[in-house]
Amino acid sequence: MSGKSTLTITDNRTGKTYEVAVDPNGTIKALDLRQIKVDAEDFGLMTYDPAFTNTASCKSAITFIDGDKGILEYRGYPIEQLAEKSSFLEVAWLLLHGELPTKSELAEFTHRVTHHTYVHENLKKLMDGFRHDAHPMGILISSVGALATFYPESKEIFDVPKRERHIMRLIAKMPTLGAMAYRHSMGFPYVFPDNELSYTGNFLSMMKKMAEPRYKVDPVLEKALDVLFILHADHEQNCSTNAMRGVGSAHTDPYSAVAGATAALYGPLHGGANEAVLRMLREIGSLANVPAFVKEVKEGKGEKRLMGFGHRVYKNYDPRATVIKKLAEQVFEVTGRNPLLDIAVELERIALEDDYFIKRKLYPNVDFYSGLIYEALGFPTDFFTVLFAIPRTAGWLAQWKELLGDADQKIARPRQIYTGATRRDYVPMDAR
Ligand code: CMC
């Protein structure tokens, strides 16, 4: 090490040499490359990085991941400790404010979230407009976006007290919207929030309550859902968070930005994977079919994937998958064992011994086992991604807040490499 924090670049096209600063974080500023030109007319050097595989789009103090070691921390706290000792609302506060809440801060936050779970009656009419078989994620995207029209002052994103109120409202109302989407698809009446219950207890009540005067929440299942919510609360610059920041960079209100992030999460390569895992396990059907399925994936050369495996950042076991695998056992003690678990365990065993997966560092991710628990909790497969969107809202909002306070940020606007036709004259219709 020479001690000099710069990078010397020689442009072999011109023979010129440039020196650019290397940040202590090990990054160079992409704009520093713009000075590298072949002549005065040249726009200057750019990097080409589709899907941001090697580009940091922000500085963030929220979530740390070491993908090679399989480490995940929120604000420095290891995910395993938070899953064991914390609660989802405490974690939401931690993500949003940077520190664990004091007793009174948590009590006040819990009280405010609990008392903002109701949605405007007109939202029911919006829900009623969807077909009976509408996918709950489609309903969630639309209904959370619609909330912006009920709170026009949410556009005042630099008014800090107002901004905090809308953040709290979003965390409070996402479970209500999710549960309404489910009840609509089942043809069941909507259930009003119950302020006496915990965040996840109330959510279970809004999902499951039928004719009984009060829904009796099973404490093991309530806790399991809370742990799942903690595990899903944030994951640094993933696809939906990037969407949240992208939309938010235009200074859009938080409801519309969360609708955009929810839409990104819907995709099968992202939050939709938990749903895809269950469909895959059902397709495999029995332990005997596992080797043939793995063979098909390997021969498919990327066409057919082992859903719930692989991650852009983790090149080791996803630490959330470790917690979820243990949690599954606790849940199954209450609900009975999901027979698909045996297929999942066998699939994991075979894949982890197979060269194809070893070479590509493909390990189970968060979605591999979560769907099995969701199914044991009685949630339909279509609903799984909603169960990801509800807790991730806390992370999206923490990242959005950070973006708005970051002087380095501007409206997100990537460059492109134009590959289309060069200038040509319009061809009249009869000459084409
Ligand atoms: N099954 C089989 N092969 C795979 C898989 C898989 N699940 N994932 C990656 N590969 C192969 C891929 O075909 C490629 O092989 P080759 O080098 O021969 O072309 C190599 O591994 C690298 O894959 P990639 O597509 O370049 O990797 P990526 O970082 O772009 O994709 C991923 C990451 C998560 C989209 C991908 O691993 C995948 O599609 N996994 C299945 C879907 C899934 O479980 N998604 C949930 C992710 S975790 C939660 C979340 O983000 O919401």
Side-chain angles (χ1 to χ4, degrees):
M1 290 275 273
S2 74
K4 219 173 162 198
S5 272
T6 61
L7 178 75
T8 302
I9 302 168
T10 302
D11 186 346
N12 293 322
R13 299 171 302 175
T14 59
K16 280 196 199 160
T17 292
Y18 304 81
E19 194 171 349
V20 298
V22 178
D23 191 84
N25 301 309
T27 52
I28 59 164
K29 288 201 171 65
L31 266 184
D32 284 351
L33 301 178
R34 191 72 72 71
Q35 59 179 314
I36 303 174
K37 300 181 179 200
V38 284
D39 55 42
E41 296 286 287
D42 187 3
F43 179 77
L45 201 67
M46 290 194 305
T47 56
Y48 175 56
D49 189 9
F52 299 125
T53 50
N54 195 37
T55 297
S57 63
C58 63
K59 291 179 180 162
S60 180
I62 301 173
T63 290
F64 172 77
I65 300 176
D66 183 329
D68 291 325
K69 296 195 182 122
I71 292 173
L72 169 61
E73 294 164 358
Y74 297 160
R75 303 281 189 186
Y77 294 104
I79 193 69
E80 297 81 2
Q81 288 184 25
L82 293 170
E84 191 191 331
K85 298 180 176 151
S86 189
S87 68
F88 171 68
L89 284 185
E90 187 177 50
V91 165
W93 175 281
L94 172 70
L95 291 169
L96 288 160
H97 298 279
E99 295 298 334
L100 288 168
T102 62
K103 205 171 175 183
S104 62
E105 281 168 343
L106 182 60
E108 198 201 328
F109 183 56
T110 305
H111 179 85
R112 293 186 74 203
V113 167
T114 307
H115 288 82
H116 280 86
T117 44
Y118 276 69
V119 292
H120 195 286
E121 282 291 290
N122 284 2
L123 256 174
K124 280 192 198 161
K125 294 186 188 140
L126 181 79
M127 291 272 169
D128 289 344
F130 285 98
R131 274 174 56 129
H132 70 94
D133 57 354
H135 195 290
M137 278 298 278
I139 301 182
L140 188 66
I141 293 164
S142 321
S143 54
V144 71
L147 280 185
T149 66
F150 292 87
Y151 303 110
E153 79 285 359
S154 63
K155 288 184 171 51
E156 296 168 43
I157 56 173
F158 291 107
D159 180 323
V160 173
K162 277 193 188 149
R163 183 162 85 201
E164 289 300 318
R165 209 174 310 140
H166 292 292
I167 286 175
M168 184 269 302
R169 277 198 177 115
L170 266 157
I171 292 174
K173 293 183 201 307
M174 282 295 269
T176 313
L177 296 177
M180 285 172 86
Y182 166 73
R183 306 280 301 195
H184 175 79
S185 66
M186 299 300 286
F188 295 158
Y190 304 125
V191 175
F192 285 123
D194 183 338
N195 292 353
E196 300 300 311
L197 298 175
S198 70
Y199 191 75
T200 46
N202 173 50
F203 177 62
L204 286 168
S205 162
M206 289 190 293
M207 292 287 295
K208 292 176 176 287
K209 185 173 171 298
M210 296 307 282
E212 66 274 36
R214 169 160 266 169
Y215 178 73
K216 206 166 166 303
V217 185
D218 183 303
V220 175
L221 305 187
E222 182 184 18
K223 173 71 186 150
L225 194 58
D226 200 68
V227 173
L228 285 166
F229 278 8
I230 292 172
L231 298 179
H232 286 87
D234 195 52
H235 211 234
E236 53 119 301
Q237 306 313 311
N238 55 85
C239 176
S240 56
T241 301
N242 186 52
M244 180 80 192
R245 281 180 174 263
V247 178
S249 77
H251 293 176
T252 307
D253 71 85
Y255 299 96
S256 306
V258 166
T262 310
L265 189 74
Y266 193 1
L269 296 187
H270 190 11
N274 51 20
E275 182 178 333
V277 170
L278 252 274
R279 295 192 199 290
M280 174 187 77
L281 295 176
R282 282 200 202 103
E283 182 195 327
I284 297 172
S286 78
L287 285 180
N289 296 337
V290 172
F293 185 85
V294 172
K295 190 161 173 267
E296 230 182 293
V297 167
K298 284 160 54 182
E299 286 169 0
K301 299 197 170 57
E303 288 292 307
K304 186 167 195 153
R305 296 199 160 194
L306 190 49
M307 298 313 285
F309 257 70
H311 199 276
R312 172 63 57 75
V313 180
Y314 292 118
K315 300 303 167 198
N316 199 327
Y317 216 95
D318 180 337
R320 301 168 299 174
T322 316
V323 178
I324 292 183
K325 204 174 166 186
K326 271 197 224 139
L327 196 65
E329 298 296 344
Q330 292 162 24
V331 170
F332 294 160
E333 271 180 31
V334 177
T335 60
R337 196 174 168 83
N338 187 332
L340 294 178
L341 178 68
D342 297 329
I343 299 177
V345 169
E346 179 64 358
L347 201 53
E348 179 189 332
R349 190 189 65 77
I350 294 188
L352 293 184
E353 284 175 358
D354 192 294
D355 252 10
Y356 176 95
F357 296 92
I358 295 171
K359 228 173 69 200
R360 291 170 179 79
K361 299 192 173 162
L362 299 170
Y363 291 87
N365 60 48
V366 69
D367 293 316
F368 193 64
Y369 286 105
S370 61
L372 290 168
I373 303 188
Y374 294 147
E375 190 171 74
L377 292 175
F379 296 124
T381 314
D382 264 4
F383 194 70
F384 291 178
T385 314
V386 173
L387 295 160
F388 194 154
I390 292 170
R392 183 55 60 87
T393 301
W396 290 333
L397 291 165
Q399 301 269 352
W400 174 71
K401 235 175 93 162
E402 187 174 64
L403 165 98
L404 296 180
D406 183 348
D408 283 355
Q409 291 292 340
K410 289 170 177 249
I411 186 165
R413 205 307 185 182
R415 291 279 171 182
Q416 65 161 11
I417 298 166
Y418 178 68
T419 60
T422 47
R423 190 198 148 97
R424 49 188 172 162
D425 289 324
Y426 179 78
V427 181
M429 185 64 81
D430 55 6
R432 285 176 216 164

